[in-house]
Amino acid sequence: MALRGRRRERATRVYELCSLSLRYPDAELDAAAPELRAAVAELPRGDARAALERFFEWWEATAAPARAAHYVEAIDLNKRSGLYLTFYSDGDKRERGAVLVRLKQLYRAAGLPLEGTELPDYLPVMLEFAATAPGGRGEIVLRENRAALELVRLALRDLGSPYADLLDATCAALGEASATERALAGRLAAGGPPQELVGLEPFAPPEVMPSTGARR
């Protein structure tokens, strides 16, 4: 039990650091970066810490405008490495709306209702939930979307993006993917997200649709 508790504590810290670091690199995140880097140095040595150290080495060596431009190119404008995980399994089909509602209900049931305008399948939101939900229950959303995590991780790696290191750290904290999860990631990569006819009403109910304003 003690070993499990220590593992959960380490994973929780990794999820928290990755949740913050995966957000758009604005001035607020830039100001917080030294504190985040110091928190990384306090992690036990291992794959997750090494991956986070690589990311912050890139961060410190790269000017703020270049970091922002890279984020937009690699994540915001790239459908293969976006951070809305249920898109990879449900695409633009109406069923995705039900999945998003279930996620919101899961967050609320854990006493951590979703605030703001982000969709509940946004990876930084999922990581925040994994870090804060009691009893380690927050990891369920990451495990359920492990195939999509692996897909985004590989896409970022193919791009040579330092943000792949944050996915590496997340996956290291989760533990090795199962054969089933790896196979599903391969199928998602080969087939792409499901599509529905263009021109239908928005796939998600109003309560989970983002506002018309920009995320940042």
Side-chain angles (χ1 to χ4, degrees):
M1 291 295 292
L3 182 61
R4 184 181 301 175
R6 288 196 297 271
R7 178 261 165 199
R8 184 178 296 164
E9 184 179 352
R10 290 194 298 268
T12 292
R13 193 59 174 146
V14 171
Y15 300 148
E16 182 181 10
L17 289 166
C18 289
S19 173
L20 294 168
S21 303
L22 274 167
R23 297 175 188 271
Y24 180 78
D26 56 13
E28 183 178 359
L29 184 55
D30 198 14
E35 183 178 351
L36 297 178
R37 180 65 185 264
V40 170
E42 295 176 358
L43 291 172
R45 294 193 180 278
D47 292 341
R49 173 174 165 175
L52 284 162
E53 286 175 340
R54 290 194 302 270
F55 175 78
F56 280 104
E57 286 169 4
W58 167 79
W59 181 283
E60 293 172 354
T62 307
R67 292 196 301 261
H70 175 79
Y71 188 96
V72 170
E73 181 179 358
I75 294 177
D76 280 348
L77 300 181
N78 194 325
K79 288 187 176 181
R80 293 182 63 245
S81 50
L83 300 183
Y84 295 91
L85 294 191
T86 66
F87 172 77
Y88 298 99
S89 56
D90 296 289
D92 291 327
K93 296 183 70 177
R94 291 175 182 268
E95 286 82 354
R96 187 179 174 211
V99 174
L100 297 175
V101 169
R102 176 185 171 274
L103 279 171
K104 288 193 73 174
Q105 291 171 340
L106 184 64
Y107 298 162
R108 189 179 299 114
L112 299 164
L114 182 64
E115 298 178 352
T117 60
E118 279 299 353
L119 292 179
D121 66 340
Y122 181 49
L123 180 54
V125 170
M126 288 183 164
L127 287 165
E128 182 179 2
F129 180 68
T132 55
R137 288 180 292 164
E139 276 192 344
I140 188 173
V141 297
L142 299 178
R143 296 190 183 282
E144 288 181 346
N145 292 276
R146 183 60 185 269
L149 268 174
E150 294 290 346
L151 194 61
V152 175
R153 177 189 185 188
L154 292 173
L156 288 168
R157 184 63 63 207
D158 287 345
L159 289 171
S161 172
Y163 282 93
D165 292 321
L166 298 180
L167 274 291
D168 287 348
T170 296
C171 292
L174 265 179
E176 187 175 355
S178 68
T180 300
E181 289 165 340
R182 290 194 298 270
L184 178 55
R187 289 197 297 273
L188 291 176
Q195 298 292 318
E196 199 155 66
L197 293 176
V198 176
L200 297 177
E201 292 299 318
F203 60 79
E207 64 267 23
V208 297
M209 289 295 288
S211 69
T212 56
R215 168 157 54 83
R216 297 180 291 276

